[in-house]
Structure formats: structure tokens, C-alpha cells
């Protein structure tokens, strides 16, 4: 009896010691990481190319959005962050928080690589809540070993501090038996029929092409720490696709939606899930965004809407910052099973005074005198009329010699030099352009079904806006614009 009490004490002391060490290591690593971001932030603060209403870290590199979740009254969005530089590396999870999806605050870095346990990077993943209400972040742990899926849990409901789950790793490649999955990563949890599942990306033939797959697993306990491999949910139909990253899989409007980052552009598939075999069959497919866009992630909001953010990439190197998120988009499935995306309606709160222009036609160029700015939303309803091309010019120089154009010629859109396949669909009479200009970011929606996000270059003083038509007279049913305020609770970038 005495002996077992003694050994229990030893175990407890050891456990306390180990936990204490873990906390110390975490705090030390996070202190360095935070200090590095802070030092870099001071240098980039006044860069006129930095967006003010697209989410991004205070400085340095970010890529994928991770683990969006609404938890106890707040939206939380995490992201791949390199605290130590403006290029990819040292992957941590940065953290943003918002009450209304519109105004945001930077939070302390949430996840760090646990060096003492051989972790080198904390890769992408998701948030999940167990049946007992335990919030977990589930992510890919990278070290000098095969990838593993790990979990982290918050110290309390503020979600400011996190600890690694004692059950880690929660999924390993052992689950696959004889099947070898290469590039195994990026867990995304979903529910079906009262059970919890996770999908992970990868490929079956060492990136040779033709066998890029989404794998599916079922939770075998309520704590989401034991999982069973159920096989391949989906194999990409295109033979030139080598690998799938960041799969997202969820029910929407009576169908199942699968979004895969298989290289650019990111694709979506809409179809059906056979819940017995856990195989997904696609009935429709399309492109999420034709521009500088990758690795989106999504969540359900309290009203049951599916919200999605993507990573905006392709910014110039060496500026002390690189990357941001798209605006939050609301997804729906249309009757023809295409996926529709609109900017979250809550964003209207960011609008300044509305400016409308009363003209109904345009030939040549028409400058919208009052619509100047580099943080603007523009909504235009345009038809070609007798013109060959109609569009908008933004970041236009005072003499009109320079501008960034978004245009339509009946066969395609052109968004800041990028061709985007787009024709008016049956029943569509005009082009509904919805454009968000945020300094060097241009996020464009056309009729809620084609999106393109672009990085643009313009001189800080070039801020005028114009409508234009080439080769005839185009019709302008309406044109509205708004200056857009910053999303940051504490003013600035
Ligand atoms: C996608 C991706 C993910 C990975 C993460 C690493 O951009 O490559 O597959 O988890 O980025 O930063």
C-alpha cells in the first residue's frame, strides 16, 4: 500500500515536472516568436501596400487560414505563420479574434513547434469540438519522422494559451496498414449521422500524378483521439494532379462539397456521399478563385452559414510581410450544383459614405470624381450594349496613363491582366461586378459565381476610379462605391 502510494507520488511529481518543463519551453519559444513579429511590425506599419481590411499578421509571412471556429461568442481564425521572417518557414499558428466577423484583434501566437518532442513545424489543420464540448485544434505535426496528426487544447475559454494534447499523436501512418500515403496532411473534421470523421490530403504514388487522394477516418472515441482509416473518399479525376492539400468536406444545401488545393487554381466538387462506403461522387466541378489564391479553410457560423477564407499569395518578396486572407465568403450551392460565393454581408458595416453616379451609359472613359481611394468597395451592374468591352479602372493616375482594369468582353473577364473564363449564363442580363480594392489587393466577384483575387502594384498617389467602354456605348445600370474602413480594433494595419 505504502509502496504504491510512493510510486503514485513519484509519477505525479514527474508529471508536474514534465508539464512544468513543457510550459517553460512553450513560453520561451512563444516569447521569441512574438518578439520577432513585434520587431518586424514596427518596420512594415506604414507600408502603403499593406491591406487594411484583409486579415494578415502584424508582420512576416503567413499562408493558409487554419481552424476557423465560432466559440463562446467569438470568431477565431488561425493561420500558418512564420514569426521569424517574410518567407515560408518555422510554421506556427497565428491567431485572430472577432465578435462580429468584421472587426478583428490580433491574439498571441497559438501553436508552436514543440522542439523537445521533435516537432519542427505545426502545419495546417482545423478546429473540432468533442461531444463533451472540448475544443481541439487538430493539425499536421512535422518533424524528422513521418507526418503525424496532433491535437492541441486551450488552457481556458479565452483561447489565449494552448497545450499539446496528452494523447498525441492522435493519428499516425500505422492506421493505413499496408497502404502508403505520401504527403499525408491537413486534417479537416466533419460530422455525419452522429459520427465524427476527418479527411486528410495526400497521394498514393509519390507525386507521380493520377493518384492524388482525399483519405477519410472515423473517430472511435468521444475524445477524438482514436481513429479508424476508412479508405479513399475521393481520387482526383485529372491525371496531371500530383497531390491534394487542405481538403475541405462538408454538407451544403442538400449536397456534399469537397474543396481541394491540388495546385492552382483551387477546385471544388459538388456531389453525393455514400455514407455506407464513405465514397464521394462528384456531379459538378469548378474553380474557387482564378487568382493568387490557395488553401482555403471554412466553418459554420452560428446561423448555419458556411464561411470560407482563402490564402492570398504572390506578394512581392523582401517587404517584411507577405500574405493575407481573402474576405470571409458565404458559400451556397445553386440549382445547377455550381458553388456560389459572396462576401459575408456583415462586411457592409465597414462601409463609409455611399457614392453613386447617375449615368446610364459610357463611351470612352468616365472618371468617377467622388469615388477616389485605395480602400474601396465598388458594385457595378454593366452590359456591353454596342461596346466590345466594358469595365472599371482602379488605382488610376490623375492623367489616366496608368490604371488597374477589370473588364468584360462578353467571352471572358480580365482582372488586372488575368483572363478569367466568364460568359453570362441563361437568365443573366448583365455583369454584376463586385470589387474590393484594398491597397495592393484586388478581390473580384462576378455574378456571385466567378472570383479572382489579384496582387496589384500602383503608386500611392494613384487613387482615381473610372468606368470605361471600348468600341461603342456600354450600359451602366448602377454604380455604387464606398470607402472601406480598417478591420482592426486598434487602428492601423
Ligand atoms: C498548403 C500547405 C499545406 C501545409 C501548409 C504548410 O499551402 O502546403 O499542405 O500544411 O501549407 O505551411
Amino acid at each position: 500500500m505504502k509502496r504504491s502510494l510512493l510510486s503514485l507520488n513519484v509519477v505525479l511529481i514527474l508529471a508536474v515536472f514534465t508539464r512544468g518543463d513543457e510550459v517553460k519551453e512553450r513560453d520561451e519559444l512563444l516569447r521569441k516568436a512574438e518578439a520577432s513579429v513585434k520587431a518586424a511590425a514596427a518596420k512594415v506599419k506604414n507600408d502603403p501596400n499593406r491591406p487594411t481590411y484583409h486579415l494578415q499578421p502584424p508582420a512576416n509571412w503567413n499562408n493558409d487560414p487554419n481552424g476557423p471556429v465560432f466559440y463562446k461568442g467569438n470568431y477565431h481564425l488561425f493561420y500558418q505563420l512564420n514569426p521569424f521572417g517574410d518567407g515560408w518557414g518555422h510554421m506556427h499558428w497565428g491567431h485572430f479574434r472577432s465578435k462580429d466577423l468584421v472587426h478583428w484583434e490580433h491574439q498571441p501566437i497559438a501553436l508552436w513547434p514543440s522542439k523537445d518532442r521533435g516537432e519542427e513545424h505545426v502545419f495546417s489543420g482545423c478546429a473540432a469540438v468533442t461531444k463533451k464540448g472540448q475544443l481541439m485544434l487538430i493539425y499536421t505535426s512535422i518533424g524528422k519522422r513521418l507526418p503525424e496528426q496532433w491535437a492541441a487544447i486551450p488552457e481556458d475559454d479565452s483561447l489565449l494559451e494552448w497545450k499539446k494534447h496528452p494523447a498525441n499523436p492522435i493519428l499516425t501512418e500505422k492506421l493505413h496498414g499496408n497502404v502508403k500515403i505520401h504527403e499525408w496532411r491537413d486534417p479537416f473534421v466533419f460530422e455525419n449521422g452522429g459520427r465524427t470523421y476527418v479527411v486528410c490530403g495526400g497521394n498514393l504514388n509519390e507525386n507521380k500524378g493520377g493518384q492524388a487522394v482525399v483519405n477519410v477516418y472515423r473517430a472511435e472515441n468521444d475524445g477524438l483521439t482514436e481513429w479508424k482509416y476508412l479508405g479513399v473518399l475521393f481520387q482526383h479525376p485529372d491525371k496531371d494532379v500530383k497531390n491534394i492539400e487542405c481538403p475541405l468536406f462538408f454538407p451544403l444545401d442538400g449536397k456534399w462539397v469537397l474543396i481541394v488545393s491540388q495546385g492552382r487554381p483551387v477546385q471544388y466538387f459538388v456531389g453525393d456521399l455514400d455514407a455506407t462506403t464513405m465514397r464521394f461522387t462528384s456531379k459538378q466541378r469548378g474553380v474557387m478563385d482564378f487568382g493568387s489564391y490557395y488553401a482555403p479553410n471554412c466553418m459554420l457560423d452560428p446561423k448555419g452559414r458556411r464561411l470560407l477564407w482563402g490564402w492570398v499569395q504572390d506578394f512581392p518578396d523582401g517587404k517584411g510581410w507577405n500574405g493575407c486572407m481573402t474576405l470571409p465568403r458565404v458559400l451556397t450551392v445553386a440549382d445547377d450544383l455550381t458553388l456560389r460565393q459572396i462576401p459575408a454581408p456583415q462586411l457592409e458595416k465597414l462601409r463609409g459614405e455611399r457614392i453613386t453616379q447617375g449615368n446610364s451609359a459610357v463611351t470612352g472613359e468616365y472618371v468617377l470624381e467622388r469615388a477616389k481611394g485605395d480602400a474601396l468597395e465598388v458594385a457595378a451592374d454593366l452590359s456591353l450594349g454596342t461596346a466590345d468591352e466594358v469595365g472599371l479602372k482602379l488605382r488610376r493616375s490623375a492623367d489616366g496613363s496608368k490604371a488597374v482594369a477589370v473588364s468584360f468582353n462578353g467571352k471572358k473577364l480580365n482582372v488586372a491582366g488575368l483572363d478569367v473564363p466568364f460568359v453570362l449564363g441563361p437568365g443573366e442580363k448583365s455583369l454584376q461586378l463586385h470589387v474590393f480594392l484594398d491597397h495592393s489587393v484586388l478581390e473580384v466577384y462576378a455574378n456571385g459565381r466567378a472570383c479572382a483575387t489579384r496582387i496589384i502594384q500602383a503608386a500611392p498617389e494613384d487613387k482615381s476610379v473610372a468606368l470605361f467602354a471600348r468600341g461603342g456605348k456600354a450600359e451602366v445600370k448602377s454604380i455604387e462605391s464606398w470607402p472601406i474602413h480598417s478591420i482592426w480594433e486598434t487602428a492601423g494595419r
Side-chain angles (χ1 to χ4, degrees):
M1 174 70 177
K2 242 191 183 157
R3 200 176 243 184
S4 60
L5 266 184
L6 189 72
S7 56
L8 184 68
N9 275 343
V10 171
V11 170
L12 276 178
I13 289 166
L14 269 180
V16 169
F17 183 73
T18 325
R19 173 77 185 123
D21 275 357
E22 235 174 56
V23 169
K24 229 163 130 197
E25 194 212 37
R26 174 193 71 187
D27 291 352
E28 183 56 16
L29 290 172
L30 287 180
R31 195 188 52 74
K32 281 193 194 137
E34 294 284 354
S36 168
V37 174
K38 202 167 166 204
K43 294 188 199 136
V44 304
K45 218 168 90 204
N46 297 319
D47 182 341
N49 287 316
R50 269 172 76 76
T52 50
Y53 65 91
H54 283 76
L55 283 163
Q56 68 174 180
N60 287 338
W61 169 273
N62 81 269
N63 51 289
D64 318 355
N66 292 151
V69 64
F70 186 82
Y71 185 73
K72 309 226 170 194
N74 284 299
Y75 291 90
H76 295 267
L77 177 65
F78 304 87
Y79 56 94
Q80 290 282 282
L81 167 72
N82 177 4
F84 300 111
D86 60 7
W88 187 91
H90 310 284
M91 283 297 120
H92 289 57
W93 278 32
H95 183 187
F96 310 116
R97 186 180 73 175
S98 169
K99 282 227 166 302
D100 59 2
L101 197 69
V102 177
H103 301 99
W104 293 81
E105 286 173 293
H106 291 292
Q107 300 290 283
I109 296 170
L111 300 185
W112 70 101
S114 295
K115 297 280 160 82
D116 61 333
R117 302 188 55 191
E119 261 192 325
E120 290 176 2
H121 299 283
V122 173
F123 269 20
S124 286
C126 63
V129 181
T130 68
K131 294 207 167 65
K132 289 197 177 124
Q134 171 70 61
L135 177 65
M136 288 164 80
L137 299 178
I138 303 180
Y139 67 90
T140 302
S141 170
I142 298 288
K144 286 194 183 61
R145 46 158 167 74
L146 292 172
E148 294 174 347
Q149 315 311 326
W150 284 31
I153 47 180
E155 297 277 8
D156 60 42
D157 282 345
S158 71
L159 310 190
L160 292 175
E161 284 186 331
W162 295 80
K163 59 186 170 207
K164 302 291 167 77
H165 200 297
N168 283 334
I170 60 168
L171 292 95
T172 69
E173 291 207 20
K174 277 204 196 107
L175 291 174
H176 302 139
N178 294 332
V179 181
K180 173 66 193 162
I181 295 165
H182 303 268
E183 314 272 332
W184 184 52
R185 58 175 179 263
D186 306 335
F188 181 83
V189 164
F190 66 97
E191 306 275 329
N192 190 40
R195 299 292 299 256
T196 305
Y197 300 83
V198 67
V199 282
C200 288
N203 68 87
L204 300 175
N205 65 348
E206 284 179 276
N207 287 297
K208 292 196 185 81
Q211 290 186 39
V213 290
V214 176
N215 301 285
V216 63
Y217 310 77
R218 188 180 63 211
E220 299 296 282
N221 66 346
D222 284 350
L224 307 185
T225 57
E226 288 164 26
W227 297 84
K228 183 177 179 190
Y229 180 47
L230 302 180
V232 169
L233 177 100
F234 174 80
Q235 177 157 340
H236 201 290
D238 300 353
K239 296 287 165 269
D240 58 337
V241 169
K242 298 192 167 147
N243 188 38
I244 287 177
E245 298 179 304
C246 301
L248 308 175
F249 190 60
F250 51 89
L252 185 65
D253 299 334
K255 287 284 160 191
W256 282 83
V257 178
L258 177 68
I259 297 174
V260 291
S261 292
Q262 72 326 305
R264 280 160 53 173
V266 173
Q267 299 174 356
Y268 73 78
F269 296 85
V270 175
D272 297 315
L273 172 67
D274 180 332
T276 320
T277 60
M278 288 307 279
R279 299 292 177 273
F280 167 74
T281 319
S282 163
K283 298 238 161 78
Q284 180 64 282
R285 63 185 287 188
V287 165
M288 293 300 294
D289 189 305
F290 288 90
S292 296
Y293 175 95
Y294 200 61
N297 213 315
C298 66
M299 59 170 272
L300 272 185
D301 81 357
K303 292 200 172 127
R305 283 179 295 204
R306 184 57 64 174
L307 296 177
L308 175 130
W309 289 261
W311 162 35
V312 183
Q313 54 179 212
D314 295 338
F315 289 92
D317 291 332
K319 302 283 184 200
W321 63 278
N322 198 321
C324 72
M325 304 300 157
T326 60
L327 298 173
R329 300 178 180 176
V330 179
L331 305 184
T332 47
V333 174
D335 290 345
D336 63 357
L337 301 189
T338 55
L339 194 65
R340 303 294 164 110
Q341 305 182 62
I342 56 160
Q346 289 96 319
L347 296 172
E348 291 179 8
K349 275 200 213 162
L350 292 171
R351 289 173 173 172
E353 195 191 339
R354 173 169 167 260
I355 293 161
T356 50
Q357 218 85 19
N359 67 316
S360 57
V362 61
T363 42
E365 193 169 290
Y366 180 83
V367 179
L368 305 167
E369 291 296 347
R370 289 161 53 233
K372 274 205 171 83
D374 53 10
L376 286 179
E377 176 184 350
V378 185
D381 184 323
L382 306 172
S383 303
L384 277 174
T386 61
D388 301 325
E389 192 179 13
V390 60
L392 273 177
K393 286 185 181 176
L394 300 146
R395 303 298 312 247
R396 181 182 169 281
S397 58
D399 65 0
S401 63
K402 286 179 280 169
V404 173
V406 181
S407 67
F408 177 55
N409 68 2
K411 298 189 192 80
K412 60 181 193 288
L413 293 167
N414 188 284
V415 180
L418 175 80
D419 280 340
V420 173
F422 182 86
V423 289
L424 292 179
E428 282 179 338
K429 291 204 171 61
S430 57
L431 169 68
Q432 316 275 332
L433 257 193
H434 203 169
V435 174
F436 292 85
L437 168 68
D438 190 358
H439 302 85
S440 60
V441 177
L442 186 65
E443 188 168 338
V444 173
Y445 299 74
N447 295 34
R449 59 185 175 79
C451 296
T453 304
R454 300 281 285 153
I455 309 306
I456 57 164
Q457 305 296 328
E461 63 276 15
D462 293 347
K463 290 187 186 178
S464 82
V465 180
L467 277 167
F468 73 96
R470 270 194 254 276
K473 190 195 264 186
E475 288 159 28
V476 183
K477 203 179 257 157
S478 69
I479 170 111
E480 297 173 282
S481 75
W482 301 262
I484 297 295
H485 298 302
S486 166
I487 55 175
W488 299 109
E489 284 291 355
T490 40
R493 303 185 153 93

